[in-house]
Amino acid sequence: MPKESVISKAFAATFVILTVSVIAGIVVMSIFYKTEIATMNPTPRPTFPSTTTSLPPVIRLPKNLIPQRYKVLIQPHLYTRITEVVNVTSPNQTMVFTGNSTVSFHCVQGTRAIYLNSMDLTVSDPVVMNKDTNERIGVSSVKNHEDETNFLEIQLNDALAAGGNYSLFLAFKGKIRNLHGMFVSTYDEGSPAYEGDESTERFLTATHLEPIDARKVFPCFDEPDMKAVFVVTIIHRRNTIALGNADIRESNIIDDDWQITFFQPTPKMSTYLFAFAVSEFTSTNSPTDGRVNIKTYARPDATAAGHTKYAANITGKILKFYESRYGIDYEQKKLTQIAMPDLAAGAMENWGLVTYQEGSLLYEEGVSSLLHKEVIASLIAHELAHQWFGNLVTMKWWNEVWLNEGFATYVSFFAVDHVEPTFQLKEAHIMSNLHAAFEQDALASSHPLSPPQEDIEKIYEIYEMFDAITYCKGAAVLRMLADIVTERVFTKGIKMYLSDFSYKNTDQNDLWECIQKAEYEDGGHTEVATVMNTWTKQIGYPVITINTTNGEVYQKHFLFNQSSESSLWWYVPIRVMSNTPKSSPVWLVSSDTVTKDEFISKSGEWILANVNCAGYYRVNYNPENWERLLTQMETNRHQIPLMNRGQLVDDAFNLARAKLVEVTLALNSTRFLRNEREFIPWESTVRNLEYFVLMFDRSEVYGPMQAYLCEQVKGLYNFLRNDTDNSQVPKDHSLQHSQITAIEVACSNGLPECLVMATKMFANWMNTSSTNKIHPNLRSVIYCQAVAAGGREEWEFAWNRFQNSSDTSEKDQLRQALSCTKKIWLLNRYLEYTLNPEKIRLMDVASTINYIAKNVAGQALAWNFIRAHWEYVSQGDAVMLIEGVTRRFSTQFELDELKRFAMDYNLLGRGVHQAIEQTQVNIQWVSENKDSILEWFESETAL
């Protein structure tokens, strides 16, 4: 991880060298600064009060000025390596950047003030020019609003006239930081010769600006609907490469220390997509048709070892798929991808320069799991989808960011299925996506897909929009709409949407109008906006209750806490089947109970609703129909579509959590698994029983539960045992997932043959540490189970391997496995390591603590730890951290502690409210169901 200011231990001896080097850089910057400003006759530098007493009436920028073009020059003073010279220690590192920008804008309403955004920047030398007359306009004051607006307010001596064109020049200076804005990332090249050897340490700087961090890099109109063209120049250290959104126009050497790179103008785009990187990385070319030059950059060691090859080979295919599907070519002549050792998000879709956490982009043959290719393909497909959904066409404001993220999630299902058909991922991805949305959207503290703009204005409100509702519910309702109007009509409407709004900003009404037009042209009659607004403008989703005896059906808002009052209802399309599916959906268009012939079981046959889970809702039935469906799954499960086998289990468990069915019905839905081999039903069951584990692994329920699961998983484990015992995997990708599930369930619930296998494989690796014969697919689960069954020796072996591995996939597997130990003192040591960025990178802190909290031995430790070190650990994903560490909370004492923690740190966000609500649900659910669950597991394992 980056070190803020002091890298060399010999600071004093290096001060002179640093000073000379920085002065040289400043001289270079001054040349370009003076060239820009020479003709502008700037006013004397104004004073900069730290606060303002006359705030604008709203938190958003005024719309009286429309930016058109930025000229941005930036010089990061960072060294990419600390080089020792004879008899002198290395220069000190510097985390400073300087630059200047000129933004040209059009005035649509007269004003004597310019408002834009600037945060943590020292801004100087403002020059305002009338571009129509080439006259300077005097600046009377400049104020930094040190509040959540981040306004930079520039008061003028003369008013800007409506219809006029103007420019604003500003010089600025800022700090290279951790993970956000312009940030520093570190890595090792080669192996250190000795402990403390810093000669292998390398540094790079890059940007991560979504949603509102462009203002930390240069002053700008930092709102998504204020699009502009960016012409960028980067001054960077010699022997480094600068990458940007657009193609390099030219790059020249300035002197012994500095190089200057000029970029072509970008497409018209939002500020959050602005990006650049300066590094010593090397690239791999993608095979393409020549129209778009695709390169994937990574650490030189990783590139040389071929770890970028898989990503490079599929990127062009994915890009071509989207171009063909939507009839619009990718905008630019180049597409650059870069694998970052540190990145706040898993990836970021910056137009033309897509950044990824390197663990999500690199693949090492023989070390990375075969299934890791699925992760890489899915992430690339998501980010490249954004080049159309988000970059070309952008939402007007963050309240509708689902138009970016929901679309990218949905269309990535098809892209991955196209480029890697043998993965057979689409159905599994759809189900995983659906369940992630269902879980969060069943809380009263959820939010609509499209809340009003005025509800999403504060910084924390904007960040909270990047959640499972935006990504997963967004994708799910798009899939439902495609099912209603047909995929063909839906795609036709999307083509119109992308074509009509290229380089523009939209809201959901623009989307509905385009799909409506396509629907009418096809002869359809669905009122798209009427139907879809019920799914996007209100929280939650319904549970559809069907009585197959008399055909009565009604809908009700599904909430885990059924005491919450709700009168919401939706336009609900229901596809239904018995022995064969019906051709068209049945509609519910009110909250009233209605009778439908399609739902009557005329001869005692089962009725199944929401075929292939196309609808975003749950289904409940009368007890007789539940019994028929579960019997069918036990006797001939293939009569039920695969996705619905998983969904029946998921519905049963969640209906039980909401007290709409008996918990024993949910448990009965798992009996068929003793014969099930497919991944989707097993995944659904394991995920839902994980809630039972979290609620009861500290109680007497856990023993009988483990015994039951051991019996249920034996069939699947033995089916794959020959492969597993020989450290091999099935050819079928779905069965590869099933194999991992089988090992995880079997070992974690004490199946003796599984534990013997896992500990033996790990011991063999420890004894012949140079050769790891565990199949890459199985390493994650084997590592965890072996560390859990072992002690200090196994843990320290895994830790040493983690520290010495350069493969990101292997490091991620070991980092998770280290949390599996049952030794409390080792878990405490591991928690302490998260405070040291030399041991655990800051971007990995939240997930590492959550791994520990998932372990029953570590949950209380993790809770105490985050409260003691909240200032540091919350720099990562604070919402994910709270959700993860509090998942087991199910007592009044824990609820009181959570509320006190939120109060102590003034935590106001939705994530805390959801954790509190979920804890309240857990308390009530455990008190009402513990006895019957214990009785059920004891009766099932009594024989």
Side-chain angles (χ1 to χ4, degrees):
M1 278 299 292
K3 303 171 187 173
E4 283 302 318
S5 58
V6 179
I7 302 299
S8 172
K9 297 176 182 176
F11 173 82
T14 66
F15 183 78
V16 173
I17 291 175
L18 171 65
T19 303
V20 170
S21 180
V22 171
I23 289 173
I26 292 171
V27 168
V28 171
M29 178 66 76
S30 297
I31 294 171
F32 289 94
Y33 170 77
K34 289 174 180 176
T35 301
E36 287 290 319
I37 205 168
T39 61
M40 296 182 179
N41 189 21
T43 57
R45 180 172 177 168
T47 57
F48 287 68
S50 59
T51 59
T52 179
T53 57
S54 55
L55 290 176
V58 292
I59 198 170
R60 297 277 301 277
L61 288 173
K63 300 301 182 184
N64 52 1
L65 305 177
I66 309 299
Q68 297 173 324
R69 190 179 187 91
Y70 292 85
K71 290 179 66 177
V72 183
L73 184 148
I74 297 177
Q75 181 178 16
H77 293 268
L78 180 88
Y79 293 90
T80 55
R81 61 174 71 192
I82 307 301
T83 306
E84 290 190 355
V85 294
V86 179
N87 297 325
V88 183
T89 53
S90 59
N92 188 24
Q93 184 59 282
T94 175
M95 298 293 176
V96 171
F97 66 90
T98 52
N100 62 68
S101 64
T102 301
V103 56
S104 300
F105 53 88
H106 180 72
C107 180
V108 296
Q109 183 180 4
T111 179
R112 294 177 66 96
I114 299 172
Y115 287 99
L116 60 165
N117 300 111
S118 177
M119 185 176 181
D120 298 334
L121 295 175
T122 302
V123 179
S124 61
D125 303 320
V127 177
V128 179
M129 297 292 295
N130 185 324
K131 296 185 70 175
D132 298 325
T133 65
N134 203 31
E135 293 178 342
R136 181 179 58 81
I137 299 172
V139 174
S140 59
S141 67
V142 177
K143 298 179 181 180
N144 286 107
H145 291 218
E146 294 184 352
D147 55 27
E148 60 193 10
T149 68
N150 305 140
F151 283 156
L152 180 66
E153 177 186 351
I154 300 172
Q155 292 289 340
L156 306 175
N157 292 333
D158 301 302
L160 306 181
N165 297 295
Y166 301 89
S167 68
L168 168 64
F169 172 90
L170 292 165
F172 53 83
K173 179 180 179 180
K175 183 179 180 182
I176 301 172
R177 55 185 66 234
N178 289 329
L179 297 181
H180 296 280
M182 189 189 309
F183 66 93
V184 66
S185 180
T186 65
Y187 63 96
D188 287 320
E189 186 174 344
S191 301
Y194 52 88
E195 187 173 352
D197 177 18
E198 294 182 347
S199 67
T200 61
E201 192 166 28
R202 301 289 181 265
F203 302 84
L204 67 140
T205 187
T207 55
H208 182 78
L209 307 184
E210 189 179 32
I212 51 170
D213 283 341
R215 63 192 68 179
K216 294 178 181 178
V217 178
F218 62 101
C220 56
F221 297 89
D222 197 13
E223 296 193 0
D225 64 344
M226 304 185 98
K227 290 188 172 185
V229 172
F230 296 81
V231 182
V232 181
T233 302
I234 304 293
I235 299 174
H236 52 103
R237 300 279 178 186
R238 286 278 303 272
N239 301 315
T240 64
I241 185 169
L243 304 172
N245 297 99
D247 254 336
I248 294 174
R249 178 165 59 84
E250 63 175 304
S251 189
N252 301 319
I253 294 170
I254 297 172
D255 57 25
D256 289 344
D257 294 318
W258 297 102
Q259 185 172 340
I260 185 166
T261 298
F262 303 90
F263 292 90
Q264 299 285 1
T266 70
K268 185 180 179 182
M269 66 184 195
S270 302
T271 48
Y272 75 87
L273 296 170
F274 179 94
F276 71 88
V278 175
S279 72
E280 297 183 19
F281 280 11
T282 54
S283 66
T284 302
N285 292 326
S286 291
T288 66
D289 59 8
R291 189 181 61 81
V292 180
N293 182 20
I294 302 174
K295 291 187 175 183
T296 301
Y297 282 81
R299 292 176 285 108
D301 289 353
T303 303
H307 299 170
T308 55
K309 283 184 178 178
Y310 178 70
N313 285 338
I314 65 170
T315 299
K317 298 174 185 178
I318 294 172
L319 199 70
K320 201 77 176 173
F321 170 79
Y322 288 135
E323 289 181 329
S324 175
R325 186 176 181 89
Y326 298 114
I328 298 176
D329 284 347
Y330 171 71
E331 161 66 20
Q332 301 201 69
K333 293 181 180 179
K334 74 98 176 180
L335 172 63
T336 304
Q337 302 184 119
I338 182 168
M340 302 291 299
D342 302 280
L343 190 67
M348 179 59 208
E349 66 268 17
N350 314 299
W351 208 344
L353 179 58
V354 184
T355 52
Y356 299 84
Q357 288 183 4
E358 66 173 16
S360 302
L361 195 68
L362 303 183
Y363 184 86
E364 182 177 354
E365 292 290 345
V367 176
S368 301
S369 165
L370 298 176
L371 301 177
H372 190 56
K373 288 184 176 180
E374 299 177 1
V375 175
I376 296 170
S378 298
L379 198 56
I380 292 175
H382 183 98
E383 301 311 317
L384 295 196
H386 275 309
Q387 307 304 303
W388 286 264
F389 301 99
N391 299 8
L392 184 66
V393 180
T394 314
M395 77 281 147
K396 289 179 179 176
W397 182 245
W398 299 107
N399 65 310
E400 292 191 310
V401 69
W402 78 271
L403 293 172
N404 287 16
E405 300 298 349
F407 259 115
T409 302
Y410 176 63
V411 302
S412 69
F413 301 156
F414 298 93
V416 175
D417 198 50
H418 174 79
V419 299
E420 293 286 14
T422 61
F423 287 1
Q424 301 173 326
L425 272 182
K426 188 165 72 171
E427 290 183 342
H429 276 178
I430 287 169
M431 296 302 290
S432 175
N433 179 83
L434 183 67
H435 295 150
F438 274 166
E439 179 81 9
Q440 188 168 322
D441 215 14
L443 297 172
S445 51
S446 183
H447 67 87
L449 270 176
S450 293
Q453 281 197 22
E454 58 268 21
D455 289 356
I456 310 297
E457 290 188 333
K458 297 179 180 178
I459 291 173
Y460 77 86
E461 292 169 342
I462 292 171
Y463 275 100
E464 284 182 343
M465 289 300 294
F466 291 83
D467 63 1
I469 300 301
T470 290
Y471 286 75
C472 302
K473 182 178 181 177
V477 300
L478 288 172
R479 179 172 179 256
M480 180 169 63
L481 176 56
D483 184 69
I484 294 168
V485 301
T486 75
E487 190 69 46
R488 177 181 53 80
V489 170
F490 180 79
T491 301
K492 181 180 178 182
I494 298 309
K495 287 181 177 179
M496 293 182 197
Y497 174 73
L498 292 173
S499 177
D500 291 352
F501 295 99
S502 292
Y503 311 105
K504 299 176 184 176
N505 296 79
T506 63
D507 57 29
Q508 66 172 16
N509 293 327
D510 300 312
L511 174 63
W512 304 151
E513 288 173 8
C514 290
I515 297 176
Q516 187 69 72
K517 185 177 180 181
E519 170 78 342
Y520 284 158
E521 289 179 358
D522 196 62
H525 302 288
T526 303
E527 295 295 330
V528 174
T530 301
V531 171
M532 296 309 295
N533 283 341
T534 63
W535 299 97
T536 61
K537 290 190 173 183
Q538 52 191 23
I539 69 166
Y541 56 92
V543 53
I544 310 303
T545 301
I546 299 171
N547 187 327
T548 62
T549 303
N550 56 20
E552 288 185 351
V553 56
Y554 65 91
Q555 62 171 291
K556 182 184 178 183
H557 186 185
F558 180 81
L559 290 164
F560 287 141
N561 183 358
Q562 287 295 320
S563 63
S564 300
E565 292 295 323
S566 175
S567 58
L568 300 179
W569 61 273
W570 294 259
Y571 285 90
V572 185
I574 307 173
R575 294 199 183 274
V576 61
M577 68 173 286
S578 183
N579 295 323
T580 58
K582 305 293 191 295
S583 58
S584 58
V586 179
W587 283 89
L588 289 187
V589 295
S590 74
S591 58
D592 298 335
T593 299
V594 296
T595 301
K596 300 283 187 179
D597 184 67
E598 293 89 342
F599 297 132
I600 297 176
S601 174
K602 298 179 175 62
S603 305
E605 73 278 14
W606 50 263
I607 300 290
L608 177 72
N610 199 14
V611 177
N612 289 324
C613 310
Y616 184 69
Y617 52 84
R618 297 194 181 278
V619 184
N620 193 9
Y621 303 96
N622 54 306
E624 297 82 0
N625 196 62
W626 270 115
E627 185 176 348
R628 294 178 192 128
L629 286 167
L630 299 187
T631 300
Q632 181 68 67
M633 290 212 292
E634 287 194 66
T635 56
N636 185 4
R637 62 190 182 281
H638 298 292
Q639 291 294 313
I640 307 289
L642 175 61
M643 295 171 79
N644 286 100
R645 300 210 295 274
Q647 192 54 40
L648 282 167
V649 173
D650 193 71
D651 280 346
F653 272 90
N654 283 278
L655 291 167
R657 283 176 69 178
K659 299 185 291 184
L660 297 177
V661 300
E662 294 296 326
V663 71
T664 51
L665 185 149
L667 293 169
N668 290 342
S669 75
T670 68
R671 285 174 172 156
F672 81 101
L673 287 169
R674 65 176 65 94
N675 299 314
E676 181 63 82
R677 304 293 178 260
E678 294 286 352
F679 173 66
I680 286 177
W682 266 104
E683 187 282 330
S684 183
T685 302
V686 170
R687 180 173 33 77
N688 278 288
L689 282 174
E690 184 182 5
Y691 180 72
F692 281 57
V693 171
L694 291 170
M695 294 301 99
F696 298 123
D697 62 2
R698 297 174 288 178
S699 77
E700 68 272 26
V701 175
Y702 194 48
M705 185 191 306
Q706 285 187 299
Y708 174 74
L709 289 173
C710 264
E711 286 301 312
Q712 291 302 93
V713 80
K714 275 183 181 178
L716 181 63
Y717 184 82
N718 290 331
F719 177 70
L720 298 162
R721 185 172 180 179
N722 188 56
D723 281 334
T724 302
D725 286 350
N726 290 291
S727 196
Q728 297 173 350
V729 300
K731 291 182 180 179
D732 181 84
H733 269 255
S734 179
L735 281 178
Q736 290 177 26
H737 284 286
S738 295
Q739 182 184 32
I740 294 169
T741 298
I743 297 170
E744 185 175 9
V745 174
C747 280
S748 62
N749 288 290
L751 189 67
E753 51 264 47
C754 183
L755 291 170
V756 169
M757 176 274 301
T759 54
K760 181 181 178 181
M761 283 190 183
F762 197 80
N764 288 340
W765 183 30
M766 291 175 64
N767 294 333
T768 58
S769 58
S770 60
T771 305
N772 185 353
K773 295 183 179 179
I774 304 171
H775 192 283
N777 272 31
L778 307 182
R779 289 180 183 178
S780 181
V781 64
I782 296 296
Y783 293 173
C784 177
Q785 297 304 327
V787 169
R792 174 177 180 170
E793 186 179 3
E794 288 78 8
W795 194 92
E796 291 190 339
F797 175 81
W799 174 251
N800 289 332
R801 283 286 160 177
F802 170 78
Q803 286 188 300
N804 294 322
S805 176
S806 61
D807 177 77
T808 53
S809 179
E810 178 78 346
K811 287 180 77 74
D812 283 345
Q813 293 177 116
L814 287 164
R815 184 168 60 85
Q816 184 170 1
L818 288 161
S819 71
C820 298
T821 181
K822 303 302 180 185
K823 308 296 183 185
I824 289 176
W825 67 274
L826 286 171
L827 291 171
N828 265 325
R829 177 201 286 184
Y830 197 25
L831 284 167
E832 290 296 327
Y833 285 175
T834 66
L835 299 177
N836 183 349
E838 294 296 312
K839 289 183 166 67
I840 303 295
R841 291 180 182 270
L842 181 58
M843 71 174 186
D844 294 328
V845 167
S847 58
T848 302
I849 295 173
N850 276 353
Y851 292 150
I852 295 169
K854 187 178 179 182
N855 183 341
V856 64
Q859 190 274 322
L861 306 177
W863 173 230
N864 291 334
F865 184 80
I866 70 165
R867 287 183 292 173
H869 303 283
W870 184 248
E871 295 273 333
Y872 181 78
V873 301
S874 63
Q875 292 179 82
D877 192 332
V879 173
M880 180 180 78
L881 197 56
I882 292 171
E883 188 275 335
V885 173
T886 63
R887 290 179 71 201
R888 263 193 189 81
F889 282 14
S890 56
T891 68
Q892 187 62 45
F893 175 74
E894 289 168 327
L895 177 62
D896 292 341
E897 281 197 322
L898 175 56
K899 288 180 176 179
R900 191 177 305 113
F901 170 65
M903 188 178 303
D904 289 345
Y905 285 94
N906 195 29
L907 301 177
L908 305 174
R910 188 186 301 118
V912 174
H913 294 310
Q914 289 179 336
I916 290 171
E917 183 184 352
Q918 185 61 63
T919 302
Q920 292 168 333
V921 169
N922 295 346
I923 292 169
Q924 185 173 1
W925 187 85
V926 168
S927 68
E928 293 174 351
N929 291 286
K930 180 180 176 181
D931 292 343
S932 59
I933 290 170
L934 176 60
E935 182 181 343
W936 191 91
F937 279 120
E938 287 178 335
S939 66
E940 289 291 312
T941 55
L943 299 178

